[in-house]
Structure formats: C-alpha cells, structure tokens
Amino acid sequence: MSLWQVDDDGTSQLMPLFYKAVLHGKSPTVALREAQLQLMQQKEWQNPYYWAPFTLQGEWRSVQS
C-alpha cells in the first residue's frame, strides 16, 4: 500500500523490482527495501516521492489452522 498518492510512472518502476525479488524467494520486507534502494540509485527516480510512500500491510504468510 502507499501512504500518499503516488506517481504511476514511479510505481511502474518499483513494482516489477519488488515482485521479481519476491518471486526469487526474498521476504516482502527485504524485496521492498531492495526495490526502493534500486530506485534511489537512479537519477530519474531518486526523489523519495517515487519510492518512500510504499509500505507493507497485513500478514504475508498464509495462516494454517
């Protein structure tokens, strides 16, 4: 989820990086942080406006009864 309204172009850069890391076995927390760091290193996306509002919500593991 995002904490404020975000730019669609910035989101379209962040989310593939995030999901790729998750699909490679990283926890969502680590995947999000790595994706944010990757955007920070790119001149066009280094402004926190593009990557800082994203946070995780809820339980990312399935709960078994």
Side-chain angles (χ1 to χ4, degrees):
M1 73 178 251
S2 66
L3 300 174
W4 59 80
Q5 187 171 350
V6 294
D7 178 78
D8 287 340
D9 292 332
T11 302
S12 72
Q13 297 296 312
L14 181 74
M15 288 298 128
L17 297 171
F18 168 73
Y19 285 113
K20 182 178 180 181
V22 169
L23 290 172
H24 281 91
K26 296 194 176 175
S27 74
T29 305
V30 171
L32 179 59
R33 183 66 180 143
E34 288 181 0
Q36 290 171 324
L37 289 172
Q38 287 179 48
L39 283 191
M40 281 176 49
Q41 296 171 359
Q42 299 178 36
K43 185 174 177 134
E44 183 177 2
W45 307 112
Q46 64 185 208
N47 188 316
Y49 168 78
Y50 296 110
W51 50 264
F54 293 95
T55 186
L56 300 172
Q57 178 180 1
E59 177 61 43
W60 62 274
R61 297 182 203 188
S62 60
V63 178
Q64 297 180 11
S65 312

PDB file of all heavy atoms in Angstrom, residues 42-61:
ATOM      1  N   GLN A  42      18.901   5.563  -9.132  1.00  0.00           N
ATOM      2  CA  GLN A  42      18.651   6.040 -10.487  1.00  0.00           C
ATOM      3  C   GLN A  42      18.276   7.513 -10.434  1.00  0.00           C
ATOM      4  O   GLN A  42      17.339   7.898  -9.724  1.00  0.00           O
ATOM      5  CB  GLN A  42      17.529   5.235 -11.138  1.00  0.00           C
ATOM      6  CG  GLN A  42      17.855   3.760 -11.266  1.00  0.00           C
ATOM      7  CD  GLN A  42      16.706   2.993 -11.866  1.00  0.00           C
ATOM      8  OE1 GLN A  42      15.993   3.480 -12.729  1.00  0.00           O
ATOM      9  NE2 GLN A  42      16.517   1.769 -11.390  1.00  0.00           N
ATOM     10  N   LYS A  43      18.990   8.337 -11.184  1.00  0.00           N
ATOM     11  CA  LYS A  43      18.795   9.789 -11.122  1.00  0.00           C
ATOM     12  C   LYS A  43      17.332  10.195 -11.300  1.00  0.00           C
ATOM     13  O   LYS A  43      16.818  11.041 -10.569  1.00  0.00           O
ATOM     14  CB  LYS A  43      19.660  10.468 -12.167  1.00  0.00           C
ATOM     15  CG  LYS A  43      19.597  11.964 -12.092  1.00  0.00           C
ATOM     16  CD  LYS A  43      20.561  12.626 -13.026  1.00  0.00           C
ATOM     17  CE  LYS A  43      20.365  14.119 -12.910  1.00  0.00           C
ATOM     18  NZ  LYS A  43      21.576  14.852 -12.806  1.00  0.00           N
ATOM     19  N   GLU A  44      16.643   9.590 -12.245  1.00  0.00           N
ATOM     20  CA  GLU A  44      15.256   9.960 -12.531  1.00  0.00           C
ATOM     21  C   GLU A  44      14.304   9.645 -11.384  1.00  0.00           C
ATOM     22  O   GLU A  44      13.283  10.312 -11.207  1.00  0.00           O
ATOM     23  CB  GLU A  44      14.784   9.249 -13.791  1.00  0.00           C
ATOM     24  CG  GLU A  44      13.391   9.606 -14.211  1.00  0.00           C
ATOM     25  CD  GLU A  44      12.959   8.950 -15.500  1.00  0.00           C
ATOM     26  OE1 GLU A  44      13.727   8.160 -16.079  1.00  0.00           O
ATOM     27  OE2 GLU A  44      11.831   9.213 -15.917  1.00  0.00           O
ATOM     28  N   TRP A  45      14.622   8.620 -10.585  1.00  0.00           N
ATOM     29  CA  TRP A  45      13.701   8.132  -9.550  1.00  0.00           C
ATOM     30  C   TRP A  45      14.227   8.314  -8.136  1.00  0.00           C
ATOM     31  O   TRP A  45      13.638   7.815  -7.184  1.00  0.00           O
ATOM     32  CB  TRP A  45      13.393   6.650  -9.791  1.00  0.00           C
ATOM     33  CG  TRP A  45      12.925   6.388 -11.171  1.00  0.00           C
ATOM     34  CD1 TRP A  45      13.596   5.698 -12.146  1.00  0.00           C
ATOM     35  CD2 TRP A  45      11.696   6.799 -11.773  1.00  0.00           C
ATOM     36  NE1 TRP A  45      12.869   5.672 -13.305  1.00  0.00           N
ATOM     37  CE2 TRP A  45      11.686   6.332 -13.108  1.00  0.00           C
ATOM     38  CE3 TRP A  45      10.605   7.516 -11.316  1.00  0.00           C
ATOM     39  CZ2 TRP A  45      10.634   6.570 -13.979  1.00  0.00           C
ATOM     40  CZ3 TRP A  45       9.559   7.755 -12.189  1.00  0.00           C
ATOM     41  CH2 TRP A  45       9.569   7.286 -13.490  1.00  0.00           C
ATOM     42  N   GLN A  46      15.314   9.037  -7.934  1.00  0.00           N
ATOM     43  CA  GLN A  46      15.922   9.119  -6.610  1.00  0.00           C
ATOM     44  C   GLN A  46      15.133   9.971  -5.613  1.00  0.00           C
ATOM     45  O   GLN A  46      15.315   9.829  -4.407  1.00  0.00           O
ATOM     46  CB  GLN A  46      17.374   9.585  -6.690  1.00  0.00           C
ATOM     47  CG  GLN A  46      17.553  10.965  -7.207  1.00  0.00           C
ATOM     48  CD  GLN A  46      19.013  11.341  -7.386  1.00  0.00           C
ATOM     49  OE1 GLN A  46      19.326  12.488  -7.301  1.00  0.00           O
ATOM     50  NE2 GLN A  46      19.893  10.406  -7.615  1.00  0.00           N
ATOM     51  N   ASN A  47      14.236  10.790  -6.071  1.00  0.00           N
ATOM     52  CA  ASN A  47      13.419  11.587  -5.163  1.00  0.00           C
ATOM     53  C   ASN A  47      12.522  10.646  -4.351  1.00  0.00           C
ATOM     54  O   ASN A  47      11.831   9.803  -4.907  1.00  0.00           O
ATOM     55  CB  ASN A  47      12.563  12.563  -5.965  1.00  0.00           C
ATOM     56  CG  ASN A  47      11.827  13.543  -5.083  1.00  0.00           C
ATOM     57  OD1 ASN A  47      11.253  13.185  -4.061  1.00  0.00           O
ATOM     58  ND2 ASN A  47      11.818  14.798  -5.487  1.00  0.00           N
ATOM     59  N   PRO A  48      12.482  10.788  -3.027  1.00  0.00           N
ATOM     60  CA  PRO A  48      11.660   9.912  -2.191  1.00  0.00           C
ATOM     61  C   PRO A  48      10.174   9.893  -2.563  1.00  0.00           C
ATOM     62  O   PRO A  48       9.465   8.941  -2.241  1.00  0.00           O
ATOM     63  CB  PRO A  48      11.851  10.461  -0.781  1.00  0.00           C
ATOM     64  CG  PRO A  48      13.166  11.154  -0.825  1.00  0.00           C
ATOM     65  CD  PRO A  48      13.297  11.704  -2.215  1.00  0.00           C
ATOM     66  N   TYR A  49       9.716  10.904  -3.240  1.00  0.00           N
ATOM     67  CA  TYR A  49       8.318  10.949  -3.698  1.00  0.00           C
ATOM     68  C   TYR A  49       7.953   9.680  -4.459  1.00  0.00           C
ATOM     69  O   TYR A  49       6.832   9.197  -4.348  1.00  0.00           O
ATOM     70  CB  TYR A  49       8.126  12.175  -4.596  1.00  0.00           C
ATOM     71  CG  TYR A  49       6.819  12.180  -5.345  1.00  0.00           C
ATOM     72  CD1 TYR A  49       5.633  12.534  -4.709  1.00  0.00           C
ATOM     73  CD2 TYR A  49       6.760  11.820  -6.683  1.00  0.00           C
ATOM     74  CE1 TYR A  49       4.433  12.538  -5.390  1.00  0.00           C
ATOM     75  CE2 TYR A  49       5.563  11.824  -7.375  1.00  0.00           C
ATOM     76  CZ  TYR A  49       4.397  12.175  -6.729  1.00  0.00           C
ATOM     77  OH  TYR A  49       3.213  12.173  -7.402  1.00  0.00           O
ATOM     78  N   TYR A  50       8.889   9.107  -5.198  1.00  0.00           N
ATOM     79  CA  TYR A  50       8.609   7.960  -6.046  1.00  0.00           C
ATOM     80  C   TYR A  50       8.625   6.622  -5.307  1.00  0.00           C
ATOM     81  O   TYR A  50       7.973   5.683  -5.712  1.00  0.00           O
ATOM     82  CB  TYR A  50       9.610   7.891  -7.210  1.00  0.00           C
ATOM     83  CG  TYR A  50       9.503   9.067  -8.127  1.00  0.00           C
ATOM     84  CD1 TYR A  50      10.506  10.020  -8.178  1.00  0.00           C
ATOM     85  CD2 TYR A  50       8.387   9.240  -8.933  1.00  0.00           C
ATOM     86  CE1 TYR A  50      10.406  11.111  -9.025  1.00  0.00           C
ATOM     87  CE2 TYR A  50       8.274  10.326  -9.779  1.00  0.00           C
ATOM     88  CZ  TYR A  50       9.285  11.252  -9.813  1.00  0.00           C
ATOM     89  OH  TYR A  50       9.174  12.336 -10.644  1.00  0.00           O
ATOM     90  N   TRP A  51       9.406   6.492  -4.255  1.00  0.00           N
ATOM     91  CA  TRP A  51       9.579   5.180  -3.628  1.00  0.00           C
ATOM     92  C   TRP A  51       9.255   5.143  -2.133  1.00  0.00           C
ATOM     93  O   TRP A  51       8.968   4.090  -1.587  1.00  0.00           O
ATOM     94  CB  TRP A  51      11.002   4.661  -3.851  1.00  0.00           C
ATOM     95  CG  TRP A  51      12.062   5.650  -3.491  1.00  0.00           C
ATOM     96  CD1 TRP A  51      12.702   6.501  -4.349  1.00  0.00           C
ATOM     97  CD2 TRP A  51      12.600   5.925  -2.203  1.00  0.00           C
ATOM     98  NE1 TRP A  51      13.590   7.293  -3.662  1.00  0.00           N
ATOM     99  CE2 TRP A  51      13.555   6.957  -2.351  1.00  0.00           C
ATOM    100  CE3 TRP A  51      12.359   5.403  -0.943  1.00  0.00           C
ATOM    101  CZ2 TRP A  51      14.262   7.463  -1.277  1.00  0.00           C
ATOM    102  CZ3 TRP A  51      13.062   5.904   0.133  1.00  0.00           C
ATOM    103  CH2 TRP A  51      14.009   6.923  -0.057  1.00  0.00           C
ATOM    104  N   ALA A  52       9.275   6.274  -1.446  1.00  0.00           N
ATOM    105  CA  ALA A  52       9.112   6.277   0.011  1.00  0.00           C
ATOM    106  C   ALA A  52       7.711   5.965   0.519  1.00  0.00           C
ATOM    107  O   ALA A  52       7.579   5.473   1.635  1.00  0.00           O
ATOM    108  CB  ALA A  52       9.574   7.609   0.588  1.00  0.00           C
ATOM    109  N   PRO A  53       6.628   6.234  -0.230  1.00  0.00           N
ATOM    110  CA  PRO A  53       5.307   6.037   0.371  1.00  0.00           C
ATOM    111  C   PRO A  53       4.889   4.585   0.508  1.00  0.00           C
ATOM    112  O   PRO A  53       3.891   4.293   1.154  1.00  0.00           O
ATOM    113  CB  PRO A  53       4.371   6.769  -0.587  1.00  0.00           C
ATOM    114  CG  PRO A  53       5.045   6.691  -1.894  1.00  0.00           C
ATOM    115  CD  PRO A  53       6.502   6.818  -1.563  1.00  0.00           C
ATOM    116  N   PHE A  54       5.631   3.668  -0.063  1.00  0.00           N
ATOM    117  CA  PHE A  54       5.195   2.271  -0.062  1.00  0.00           C
ATOM    118  C   PHE A  54       5.566   1.564   1.227  1.00  0.00           C
ATOM    119  O   PHE A  54       6.672   1.688   1.734  1.00  0.00           O
ATOM    120  CB  PHE A  54       5.792   1.532  -1.264  1.00  0.00           C
ATOM    121  CG  PHE A  54       5.237   2.029  -2.556  1.00  0.00           C
ATOM    122  CD1 PHE A  54       5.901   2.995  -3.280  1.00  0.00           C
ATOM    123  CD2 PHE A  54       4.026   1.555  -3.032  1.00  0.00           C
ATOM    124  CE1 PHE A  54       5.379   3.476  -4.468  1.00  0.00           C
ATOM    125  CE2 PHE A  54       3.486   2.025  -4.213  1.00  0.00           C
ATOM    126  CZ  PHE A  54       4.175   2.997  -4.929  1.00  0.00           C
ATOM    127  N   THR A  55       4.598   0.823   1.735  1.00  0.00           N
ATOM    128  CA  THR A  55       4.794   0.050   2.956  1.00  0.00           C
ATOM    129  C   THR A  55       4.004  -1.248   2.832  1.00  0.00           C
ATOM    130  O   THR A  55       3.117  -1.361   1.992  1.00  0.00           O
ATOM    131  CB  THR A  55       4.358   0.858   4.193  1.00  0.00           C
ATOM    132  OG1 THR A  55       4.686   0.135   5.373  1.00  0.00           O
ATOM    133  CG2 THR A  55       2.879   1.166   4.171  1.00  0.00           C
ATOM    134  N   LEU A  56       4.330  -2.206   3.629  1.00  0.00           N
ATOM    135  CA  LEU A  56       3.621  -3.487   3.603  1.00  0.00           C
ATOM    136  C   LEU A  56       2.522  -3.484   4.651  1.00  0.00           C
ATOM    137  O   LEU A  56       2.650  -2.860   5.705  1.00  0.00           O
ATOM    138  CB  LEU A  56       4.595  -4.629   3.876  1.00  0.00           C
ATOM    139  CG  LEU A  56       5.731  -4.750   2.864  1.00  0.00           C
ATOM    140  CD1 LEU A  56       6.744  -5.783   3.330  1.00  0.00           C
ATOM    141  CD2 LEU A  56       5.202  -5.107   1.500  1.00  0.00           C
ATOM    142  N   GLN A  57       1.459  -4.192   4.369  1.00  0.00           N
ATOM    143  CA  GLN A  57       0.348  -4.272   5.307  1.00  0.00           C
ATOM    144  C   GLN A  57      -0.136  -5.711   5.360  1.00  0.00           C
ATOM    145  O   GLN A  57      -0.214  -6.387   4.338  1.00  0.00           O
ATOM    146  CB  GLN A  57      -0.792  -3.371   4.846  1.00  0.00           C
ATOM    147  CG  GLN A  57      -1.992  -3.427   5.745  1.00  0.00           C
ATOM    148  CD  GLN A  57      -3.117  -2.518   5.249  1.00  0.00           C
ATOM    149  OE1 GLN A  57      -2.994  -1.868   4.234  1.00  0.00           O
ATOM    150  NE2 GLN A  57      -4.196  -2.498   5.980  1.00  0.00           N
ATOM    151  N   GLY A  58      -0.482  -6.161   6.554  1.00  0.00           N
ATOM    152  CA  GLY A  58      -1.053  -7.491   6.701  1.00  0.00           C
ATOM    153  C   GLY A  58      -0.009  -8.583   6.851  1.00  0.00           C
ATOM    154  O   GLY A  58       1.181  -8.344   6.838  1.00  0.00           O
ATOM    155  N   GLU A  59      -0.497  -9.779   6.982  1.00  0.00           N
ATOM    156  CA  GLU A  59       0.347 -10.962   7.145  1.00  0.00           C
ATOM    157  C   GLU A  59       0.691 -11.509   5.780  1.00  0.00           C
ATOM    158  O   GLU A  59      -0.193 -11.824   4.994  1.00  0.00           O
ATOM    159  CB  GLU A  59      -0.407 -12.024   7.969  1.00  0.00           C
ATOM    160  CG  GLU A  59       0.339 -13.328   8.159  1.00  0.00           C
ATOM    161  CD  GLU A  59       1.658 -13.171   8.900  1.00  0.00           C
ATOM    162  OE1 GLU A  59       1.707 -12.442   9.903  1.00  0.00           O
ATOM    163  OE2 GLU A  59       2.647 -13.770   8.456  1.00  0.00           O
ATOM    164  N   TRP A  60       1.961 -11.599   5.462  1.00  0.00           N
ATOM    165  CA  TRP A  60       2.359 -12.057   4.131  1.00  0.00           C
ATOM    166  C   TRP A  60       2.447 -13.580   4.040  1.00  0.00           C
ATOM    167  O   TRP A  60       2.498 -14.125   2.960  1.00  0.00           O
ATOM    168  CB  TRP A  60       3.687 -11.426   3.716  1.00  0.00           C
ATOM    169  CG  TRP A  60       4.857 -11.767   4.575  1.00  0.00           C
ATOM    170  CD1 TRP A  60       5.255 -11.136   5.720  1.00  0.00           C
ATOM    171  CD2 TRP A  60       5.793 -12.811   4.367  1.00  0.00           C
ATOM    172  NE1 TRP A  60       6.367 -11.730   6.230  1.00  0.00           N
ATOM    173  CE2 TRP A  60       6.721 -12.767   5.419  1.00  0.00           C
ATOM    174  CE3 TRP A  60       5.938 -13.805   3.402  1.00  0.00           C
ATOM    175  CZ2 TRP A  60       7.785 -13.656   5.531  1.00  0.00           C
ATOM    176  CZ3 TRP A  60       7.004 -14.686   3.510  1.00  0.00           C
ATOM    177  CH2 TRP A  60       7.909 -14.605   4.565  1.00  0.00           C
ATOM    178  N   ARG A  61       2.430 -14.242   5.153  1.00  0.00           N
ATOM    179  CA  ARG A  61       2.442 -15.716   5.136  1.00  0.00           C
ATOM    180  C   ARG A  61       1.031 -16.223   5.260  1.00  0.00           C
ATOM    181  O   ARG A  61       0.197 -15.654   5.951  1.00  0.00           O
ATOM    182  CB  ARG A  61       3.251 -16.251   6.306  1.00  0.00           C
ATOM    183  CG  ARG A  61       4.675 -15.870   6.265  1.00  0.00           C
ATOM    184  CD  ARG A  61       5.375 -16.481   7.438  1.00  0.00           C
ATOM    185  NE  ARG A  61       6.574 -15.689   7.713  1.00  0.00           N
ATOM    186  CZ  ARG A  61       7.488 -16.029   8.562  1.00  0.00           C
ATOM    187  NH1 ARG A  61       7.365 -17.127   9.261  1.00  0.00           N
ATOM    188  NH2 ARG A  61       8.541 -15.290   8.759  1.00  0.00           N
TER     189      ARG A  61
END
